[in-house]
């Protein structure tokens, strides 16, 4: 997981804005061209929206009593055209109702952050919701033309994307991320924060260290959802391969259609409602109840097992082996494979309503 736990700065900028005292209403526009675009903002609110023309356009609004100290720099960074908001001091005050606390980051000399934090010349920056320090942040509006490959990175604040068609990566250290009506491919990564995704047509990858994930209306060749700690819920999945994994948390998903399905939780309940047949379906939980709802035409070989709990079925099964905690058999035509195992909890198979 490439969460933004680090932040970093280099020379060779194309544009440096002189520090002057600005009001929160002063908005500047920057054009960034190239095949790959990256945007970095340590603190603020970022919205990603559709754009026109060939280039990405970024509107920057610098906010706070020390907003004039912020700099905006654009230049290639490691072969990627990048716009960076430069915070020149080591203690930043970010006063927003939707964020409270303290976060520390490692920032490179070029103003980028995340990934490998061992670069020489990097420095530590602390962002706080109160206290003494440089009171400033930047709000961005990133306008993305169709088909662009764009990575948007934020430290703390919020990150929202809507109605964009492209190869989009949304990365946050400590921020909630929302995305809706997205097309192309979407990669979301947050160290700490909730993720909400609505209506995605394309491959989807979500990775969060800590936070709940909610997804509805996702259709893509591959859908992957992984959270270290948090609940995962959703409705309306169509995919060639759907993978869902949480270290600690419940999984609750309905209207799921995919030939290959994998659900894994270290500790938590798993509730899945299928809307069609599967070829390869596995559920594994260290501790938690498992409930699978299957349609009337569902067919599969089954292997259902719990180390501590009961195994129950409310659908017709041709049983080849049965015990209180283990059932092997088949449902319907027996095509495909469904394996369910829980270390501690009940396993139940029911007809969908």
């Amino acid at each position: 997981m490439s969460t933004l736990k680090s932040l970093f700065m280099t020379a060779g900028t194309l544009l440096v804005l002189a520090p002057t005292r600005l009001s929160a209403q002063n908005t500047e526009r920057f054009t960034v061209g190239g095949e790959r675009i990256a945007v970095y903002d340590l603190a603020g609110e970022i919205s990603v929206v559709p754009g026109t023309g060939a280039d990405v356009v970024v509107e920057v609004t610098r906010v706070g009593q020390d907003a004039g100290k912020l700099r905006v720099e654009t230049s290639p960074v490691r072969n990627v055209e990048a716009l960076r908001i430069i915070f020149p001091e080591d203690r930043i005050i970010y006063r927003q109702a939707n964020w409270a606390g303290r976060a520390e980051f490692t920032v490179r000399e070029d103003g980028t952050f995340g990934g490998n934090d061992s670069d020489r010349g990097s420095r530590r920056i602390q962002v706080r919701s109160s206290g003494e320090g440089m009171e400033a942040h930047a709000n961005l509006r990133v306008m993305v033309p169709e088909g662009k490959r764009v990575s948007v990175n934020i430290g703390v604040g919020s990150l929202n994307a809507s109605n964009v068609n492209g190869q989009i990566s949304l990365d946050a250290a400590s921020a909630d991320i929302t995305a809706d009506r997205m097309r192309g491919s979407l990669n979301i990564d947050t160290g700490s924060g909730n993720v909400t995704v609505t209506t995605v047509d394309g491959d989807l990858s979500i990775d969060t260290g800590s936070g709940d994930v909610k997804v509805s209306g996702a259709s893509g060749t591959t859908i992957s959802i992984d959270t270290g700690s948090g609940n995962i819920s959703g409705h309306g999945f169509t995919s060639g391969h759907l993978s869902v994994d949480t270290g600690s948390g419940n999984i609750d998903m309905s209207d799921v259609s995919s030939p290959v399905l994998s659900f894994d939780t270290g500790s938590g309940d798993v509730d899945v409602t299928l809307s069609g047949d599967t070829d390869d379906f596995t559920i594994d939980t260290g501790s938690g109840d498992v409930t699978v709802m299957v349609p009337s035409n569902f067919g599969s070989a089954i292997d259902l097992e719990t180390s501590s709990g009961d195994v129950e079925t409310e659908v017709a099964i041709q049983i080849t082996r049965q015990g209180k905690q283990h059932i092997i058999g088949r449902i319907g035509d027996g095509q495909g494979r469904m394996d369910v195992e829980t270390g501690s909890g009940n396993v139940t198979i029911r007809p969908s309503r």
Side-chain angles (χ1 to χ4, degrees):
M1 179 168 56
S2 60
T3 54
L4 302 183
K5 298 176 182 175
S6 319
L7 314 184
F8 307 76
M9 272 174 57
T10 339
T13 60
L14 297 180
L15 175 63
V16 178
L17 300 182
T20 55
R21 218 165 179 80
L22 299 178
S23 75
Q25 303 305 312
N26 284 355
T27 298
E28 303 143 285
R29 291 169 63 94
F30 302 88
T31 299
V32 187
E35 294 184 2
R36 298 175 58 192
I37 308 296
V39 175
Y40 293 87
D41 184 10
L42 184 58
E45 300 176 357
I46 301 180
S47 62
V48 184
V49 299
T52 58
D55 299 327
V56 172
V57 175
V58 182
E59 293 181 344
V60 179
T61 303
R62 294 184 278 177
V63 183
Q65 65 180 16
D66 298 316
K69 297 180 180 180
L70 295 175
R71 303 196 311 273
V72 182
E73 299 185 355
T74 62
S75 63
V77 176
R78 292 174 289 279
N79 298 318
V80 177
E81 296 293 335
L83 179 144
R84 293 96 65 206
I85 307 300
I86 305 298
F87 290 74
E89 298 186 12
D90 294 338
R91 176 170 290 189
I92 309 302
I93 306 303
Y94 177 54
R95 303 185 192 277
Q96 290 295 303
N98 62 351
W99 187 80
R102 181 178 66 182
E104 289 191 3
F105 308 94
T106 303
V107 183
R108 302 183 187 94
E109 290 183 355
D110 55 26
T112 65
F113 47 86
N116 185 358
D117 62 1
S118 62
D119 296 24
R120 293 182 179 180
S122 61
R123 62 191 178 94
R124 297 293 290 177
I125 290 183
Q126 186 179 95
V127 181
R128 305 169 64 106
S129 57
S130 61
E132 296 182 357
M134 174 182 165
E135 187 171 333
H137 64 274
N139 296 332
L140 310 184
R141 187 168 183 258
V142 183
M143 290 167 275
V144 180
E146 284 196 10
K148 279 292 185 180
R149 184 177 179 182
V150 178
S151 171
V152 181
N153 306 267
I154 192 168
V156 299
S158 64
L159 178 51
N160 309 299
S162 179
N163 201 30
V164 176
N165 182 0
Q167 300 179 58
I168 308 301
S169 176
L170 308 176
D171 208 333
S174 178
D176 292 340
I177 297 178
T178 63
D180 70 286
R181 292 168 292 160
M182 303 292 287
R183 291 171 292 157
S185 65
L186 178 61
N187 185 303
I188 296 176
D189 193 334
T190 177
S192 174
N194 299 321
V195 174
T196 303
V197 176
T198 306
T199 312
V200 173
D201 186 3
D203 289 349
L204 172 64
S205 175
I206 300 174
D207 193 338
T208 173
S210 174
D212 294 337
V213 176
K214 296 181 180 180
V215 180
S216 61
S219 176
T221 303
T222 302
I223 297 174
S224 173
I225 304 172
D226 189 336
T227 178
S229 175
N231 298 319
I232 298 174
S233 61
H235 173 83
F237 295 86
T238 303
S239 176
H241 188 170
L242 173 61
S243 173
V244 181
D245 190 336
T246 176
S248 175
N250 299 323
I251 297 173
D252 187 355
M253 306 182 78
S254 61
D255 190 16
V256 175
S257 176
S258 176
V260 181
L261 292 161
S262 174
F263 295 86
D264 194 333
T265 176
S267 174
D269 296 337
V270 178
D271 290 272
V272 180
T273 301
L274 301 177
S275 58
D277 263 339
T278 64
D279 295 330
D280 187 356
F281 180 22
T282 62
I283 297 178
D284 191 346
T285 175
S287 174
D289 295 333
V290 176
T291 303
V292 180
M293 309 279 283
V294 300
S296 59
N297 62 347
F298 182 79
S300 179
I302 63 167
D303 189 330
L304 315 175
E305 183 176 8
T306 176
S307 298
S308 175
D310 297 327
V311 178
E312 299 180 354
T313 64
E314 299 176 12
V315 299
I317 294 179
Q318 298 181 38
I319 297 174
T320 57
R321 177 182 169 187
Q322 182 175 13
K324 178 178 172 58
Q325 296 171 324
H326 195 184
I327 291 178
I328 297 176
R330 73 178 192 179
I331 299 174
D333 60 14
Q335 300 296 311
R337 181 82 185 170
M338 179 168 69
D339 293 321
V340 178
E341 182 175 357
T342 176
S344 175
N346 300 321
V347 177
T348 306
I349 308 298
R350 292 175 176 160
S352 57
R353 298 179 177 84

